């Protein structure tokens, strides 16, 4: 006999087995636990909640969340439709399934109840009404309606009209109106509407007139009573006027009569001004083209000008042309003697009468057109009467009238021909004048040849106008590409500036006009202007260096156009910058000119003074020290001073005391270039110093320039300008520590008496005294010795610990005020959020990349499986086909 199985024990073991299996599932993998260890145990610090973590679990939650949100958005990115689940409680995760079903059942029962109760009259909430009044209130019969028992018609009417509107019956009045409207046609209805509107309009006008008359009557009555009030006010004013006004009242009255600022128009921007100027030039050019074609409007001159009704004839010209003669009749015949009419004869009087009549007609206003028509009809009638009278009175004078009419026609034809000839002459004159005018609009030249074609044959004034109009028509704000055109135009004007400067003689007015336009173009595009000018200065410097190489390092002074270009640099670009792309090379070029070019004639002296004056303008704002400038001026003083007789060693030693620097030498045939040639001191003292235009003088031919410069007047003027420049430099360099050493040679020349001041005018003596005072002002001031630059002493580093009173080991204490602390906190929070956002975006991108890769792999696997199935199917078919072929062969 076998043992019976214990079913209960087996059941217990199964439960234990399943319970252990569930417990093992809940237990986490120890390799997924991450422990954040602390390096040091610190007392008083709370254990962080992030000391242990489950990165695998958190990663799985994040992936699950992305599948529910990001993946769905990615899958539905190309879909425009979506299903919205509007079931009750479906989107509420806190509700259970039973709660959702109960809520849906309750709403469904409520809707069904509302539909069933809609027509239930036994409910207390619903009330029946009639014309907005409850029927329950009407049944109470609180108000008793009275009616005439004797009047049966009234009772019948009351019953029909007031008891529920009579049901199928209608009011008699409405039926009568409808019958009347049905009987009338559409035209009669429109006439009734027009009559009613006119009637209402008349009533409104009548009410308005009545109101005006009442207002006028009230005004008249007020005038009769107002004098009584005026007396009372006058007495009050007398009482107040007796009081003297205080300072406050006086100030208030002054403020009442002060001039108040009135609103003005907004200042227009340069772009708006350029647009208006362009439109004006276009209109003038269109008018000029029309006049050139002979399209002259003569009709406008004969048309009467419109005169306003408010015109007071303040500007009436009494000296204008005499009034035109009027056509008059005398004894029934036309009066052709028009001389008396122009001189104020009877025709003038008639004209005055007609003017008076016209004024009266204007005052009448309403019947003006009718009166004019009547007057025209009367004139025609009068003329017809005259003609009839002539026919009746003079039948035998028809031949004479014909002869007179023939003569009149001939005269009119001749006058018409003369007038047409005169108009043709006037038109030809206008066309010629329009052709001789300058065009108002020009195309921007693309190269220098086109510009030459534009200005050829024009005077300097017209050339300036042409340049101005080219700039106006191509302002950068008017159209795209204008800026590039003006940049090209700047280089063309720069080239033309050099051409004008190289002419003999130089047209300084045209150069000034060109300078103004170049400055305006430079302000519009400074970078392009700097590049053009820099390349030009470099080219001129290279030519100067080549000339110096040919003459063994002793070149002549550059031409006048080069010097004027250097002058133009100081006008177009700033000279006070420490380093500038155009100004700095120009200053170096000027310094090399002063240090290398030899002075062999008075023309060289004039060129050197021009360069010195220009150099002074360069350095006046920045006070930059230029040794070449001081040395050149010292050399000019040496050329004007007395020298000892040459030939001895003592002479050579005395000449060495002048401290000369090249290009000046103590010996040579040009050392007395600025020494006065006249031996009579009285003559030289009387010479007046008049300013010399160096540019105009140097533009003359060499012989003429030498003749004008080889005079004592030029020598005195050169010395005067030299002293003026030295005075200006002494003022600029007074703050330099080496001031005495710089001007030591000059002060020695003035104090030693080498310059014969007795032979020069008083103005030269005054300049010498002023320069001597400026140089001697620094004699008593001691020089500062060389010292190290003073630095702030640095404190000794202390090794004592910094003790904080309110120390918190958990929270980090930040220095600064509350605002700085808050800002640091926000910056830290922003950085943290930014890092978190970047990390999440990176994880989202990785998730999407993995999903895309998975989809692609699934597609590839599915495609391979399909290809494999197709190959298998094809192989099966191929095998069957071959089997069938083998069977055929057997048979």
């Amino acid at each position: 006999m076998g043992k019976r199985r214990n079913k209960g024990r087996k059941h217990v073991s199964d439960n234990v087995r399943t319970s252990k299996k569930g417990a093992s599932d809940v237990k986490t993998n120890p390799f997924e636990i991450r422990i954040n260890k602390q390096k040091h145990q610190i007392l008083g610090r709370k254990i962080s909640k992030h000391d242990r973590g489950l990165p695998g679990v958190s990663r799985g939650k994040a992936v699950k969340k992305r599948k529910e949100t990001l993946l769905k958005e990615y899958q539905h990115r190309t879909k425009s439709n979506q299903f919205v689940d509007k079931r009750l409680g479906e989107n509420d995760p806190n509700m259970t399934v039973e709660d959702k079903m109960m809520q849906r059942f309750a709403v469904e029962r409520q809707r069904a109840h509302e539909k069933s109760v809609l027509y239930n009259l036994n409910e207390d909430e619903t009330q029946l009404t009639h014309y907005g009044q409850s029927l329950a209130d009407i049944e109470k019969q609180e108000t008793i309606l009275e009616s005439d028992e004797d009047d049966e018609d009234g009772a019948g009417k009351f019953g029909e009209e007031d008891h529920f509107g009579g049901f199928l019956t209608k009011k008699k009045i409405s039926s009568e109106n409808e019958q009347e409207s049905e009987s009338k046609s559409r035209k009669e209805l429109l006439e009734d509407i027009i009559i009613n509107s006119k009637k209402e309009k008349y009533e409104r006008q009548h009410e308005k007139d009545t109101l005006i008359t009442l207002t006028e009557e009230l005004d008249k009555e007020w005038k009769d009573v107002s004098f009584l009030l005026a007396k009372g006010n006058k007495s009050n004013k007398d009482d107040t006027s007796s009081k003297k006004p205080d300072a406050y009242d006086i100030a208030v009255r002054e403020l009442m009569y002060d001039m108040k600022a009135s609103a003005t128009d907004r200042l227009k921007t340069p772009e708006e001004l350029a647009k208006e100027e362009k439109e004006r030039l276009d209109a003038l050019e269109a008018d000029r083209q029309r006049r050139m074609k002979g399209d002259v409007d003569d009709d406008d001159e004969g048309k009467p000008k419109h005169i306003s009704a408010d015109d007071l004839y303040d500007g009436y010209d009494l000296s204008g042309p005499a009034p035109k003669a009027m056509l008059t009749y005398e004894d029934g015949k036309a009066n052709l003697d028009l001389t008396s009419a122009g001189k104020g004869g009877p025709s003038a009087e008639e004209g005055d009468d007609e003017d008076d009549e016209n004024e009266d007609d204007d005052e009448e206003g309403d019947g003006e057109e009718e009166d004019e028509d009547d007057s025209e009809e009367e004139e025609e009638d009068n003329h017809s009467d005259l003609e009839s009278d002539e026919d009746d009175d003079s039948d035998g004078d028809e031949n004479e009238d014909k002869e007179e009419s023939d003569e009149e026609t001939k005269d009119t034809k001749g006058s018409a021909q003369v007038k047409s000839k005169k108009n043709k002459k006037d038109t030809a004159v206008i066309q010629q004048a329009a052709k001789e005018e300058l065009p108002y609009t020009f195309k921007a030249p693309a190269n220098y040849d086109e510009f030459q074609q534009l200005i050829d044959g024009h005077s300097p004034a017209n050339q300036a106008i042409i340049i101005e109009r080219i700039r106006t028509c191509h302002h950068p704000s008017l159209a795209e590409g204008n800026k590039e055109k003006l940049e090209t135009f700047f280089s063309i004007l720069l080239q033309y500036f050099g051409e004008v400067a190289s002419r003999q003689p130089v047209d300084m007015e045209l150069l000034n006009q060109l300078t103004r336009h170049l400055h305006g173009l430079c302000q519009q595009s400074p970078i392009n202007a700097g590049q053009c000018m820099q390349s030009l200065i470099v080219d001129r410097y290279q030519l100067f260096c080549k000339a110096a190489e040919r003459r063994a390092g002793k070149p002549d002074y550059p031409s006048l156009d080069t010097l004027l270009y250097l002058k133009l640099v100081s006008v177009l670009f700033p000279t006070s910058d420490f380093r500038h792309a155009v100004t700095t090379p120009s200053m170096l070029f000027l310094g090399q000119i002063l240090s290398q070019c030899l002075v062999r004639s008075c023309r060289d002296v004039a060129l050197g003074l021009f360069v010195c004056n220009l150099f002074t303008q360069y350095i006046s704002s920045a006070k930059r020290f230029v040794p070449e400038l001081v040395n050149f001026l010292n050399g000019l003083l040496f050329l004007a001073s007395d020298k000892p007789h040459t030939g001895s060693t003592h002479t050579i030693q005395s000449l060495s005391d002048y401290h000369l620097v090249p290009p000046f030498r103590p010996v040579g045939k040009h050392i007395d270039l600025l020494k006065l040639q006249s031996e009579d001191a009285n003559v030289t003292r009387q010479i007046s110093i008049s300013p010399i235009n160096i540019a105009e003088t140097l533009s003359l031919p060499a012989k003429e320039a030498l003749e004008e410069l080889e005079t004592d007047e030029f020598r005195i003027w050169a010395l005067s300008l030299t002293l003026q420049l030295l005075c200006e430099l002494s003022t600029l360099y007074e703050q330099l520590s080496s001031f005495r050493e710089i001007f030591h040679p000059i002060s020695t020349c003035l104090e030693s008496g080498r310059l014969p001041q007795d032979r020069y005018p008083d103005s030269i003596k005054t300049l010498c005294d002023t320069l001597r005072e400026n140089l001697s002002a620094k004699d008593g001031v001691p020089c500062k010795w060389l010292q190290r630059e003073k630095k702030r002493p640095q404190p000794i580093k202390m090794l004592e610990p910094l003790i904080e009173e309110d120390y918190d080991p958990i929270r980090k204490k930040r220095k600064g005020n509350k605002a700085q602390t808050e800002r640091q906190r926000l910056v830290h929070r922003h950085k943290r959020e930014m890092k978190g956002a970047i990390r999440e975006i990176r994880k989202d991108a990785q998730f999407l990349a993995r999903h895309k890769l998975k989809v692609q792999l699934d597609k590839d696997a599915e495609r391979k499986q399909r290809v494999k199935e197709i190959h298998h199917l094809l192989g099966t078919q191929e095998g069957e086909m071959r089997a069938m072929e083998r069977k055929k062969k057997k048979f």
Side-chain angles (χ1 to χ4, degrees), residues 635-654:
L636 293 181
L637 287 180
F638 168 75
L639 296 180
S641 61
D642 293 335
K643 290 88 177 174
H645 297 288
T646 58
S648 61
T649 57
H650 179 70
T651 302
I652 296 173
Q653 185 177 1
S654 60

Side-chain angles (χ1 to χ4, degrees), residues 628-866:
E628 294 88 354
L629 182 57
V630 180
N631 294 331
F632 190 86
L633 295 175
N634 183 29
L636 293 181
L637 287 180
F638 168 75
L639 296 180
S641 61
D642 293 335
K643 290 88 177 174
H645 297 288
T646 58
S648 61
T649 57
H650 179 70
T651 302
I652 296 173
Q653 185 177 1
S654 60
L655 290 173
S656 63
D657 296 337
Y658 284 94
H659 302 286
L660 294 178
V661 178
F664 296 96
R665 293 183 297 176
V667 293
K669 60 180 181 180
H670 303 295
I671 60 175
D672 294 333
L673 198 59
L674 293 180
K675 189 176 180 180
L676 296 177
Q677 301 298 324
S678 179
E679 298 179 357
D680 191 357
N682 296 325
V683 175
T684 56
R685 288 198 203 98
Q686 300 300 326
I687 295 175
S688 61
I689 303 174
S690 58
I692 299 176
N693 194 340
I694 299 177
E696 294 182 356
T697 305
L698 296 177
S699 62
L700 297 174
K703 293 182 179 180
E704 296 180 6
L706 289 176
E707 291 177 359
E708 289 189 5
L709 297 178
E710 292 289 343
T711 58
D712 289 343
E713 288 82 0
F714 172 76
R715 294 184 178 91
I716 293 173
W717 173 83
L719 182 60
S720 174
L721 183 57
T722 302
L723 294 173
Q724 290 177 9
L725 292 174
L726 286 172
C727 291
E728 189 174 353
L729 291 177
S730 64
T731 306
L732 290 176
Y733 298 154
E734 63 181 357
Q735 300 297 332
L736 295 178
S737 57
S738 58
F739 178 81
R740 285 185 293 182
E741 287 74 14
I742 292 171
F743 291 96
H744 175 69
I746 298 169
S747 60
T748 303
C749 181
L750 293 176
E751 292 174 357
S752 62
R754 298 170 184 170
L755 190 66
Q757 301 179 14
D758 298 336
R759 302 181 60 186
Y760 288 96
D762 295 336
S763 59
I764 299 294
K765 296 179 182 179
T766 305
L767 289 172
C768 290
D769 295 337
T770 304
L771 181 59
R772 192 181 295 109
E773 290 176 2
N774 293 342
L775 297 180
S776 62
K778 292 286 185 177
D779 289 343
V781 180
C783 296
K784 295 182 180 179
W785 57 86
L786 293 176
Q787 294 179 351
R788 282 191 175 185
E789 185 180 358
K790 292 183 179 180
K791 295 182 180 180
R792 186 177 179 180
Q794 296 180 356
I796 302 173
K797 294 182 179 180
M798 304 298 291
L799 301 178
E800 296 179 0
L802 180 62
I803 300 173
E804 297 181 3
E805 296 180 357
D806 301 331
Y807 175 72
D808 190 356
I810 298 175
R811 298 185 62 183
K812 184 178 180 182
K813 187 175 181 181
R814 293 181 174 86
K815 298 180 180 179
N817 53 13
K818 186 176 181 180
Q820 293 179 354
T821 305
E822 183 68 18
R823 185 178 182 280
Q824 292 177 0
R825 187 179 66 81
L826 291 175
V827 169
H828 176 68
R829 185 177 178 182
H830 174 265
K831 288 182 179 179
R832 186 178 60 190
E833 295 293 335
M834 181 64 72
K835 290 180 180 178
I838 294 171
R839 184 170 56 251
E840 291 297 324
I841 291 171
R842 190 182 295 114
K843 289 182 179 179
D844 291 344
Q846 293 175 357
F847 174 78
L848 291 176
R850 287 196 300 269
H851 175 72
K852 291 178 183 179
L853 181 61
K854 182 181 178 182
V855 171
Q856 188 66 31
L857 292 176
D858 293 342
K859 288 182 179 180
D860 294 343
E862 184 179 1
R863 182 175 177 277
K864 289 180 181 179
Q865 183 65 27
R866 288 181 181 179

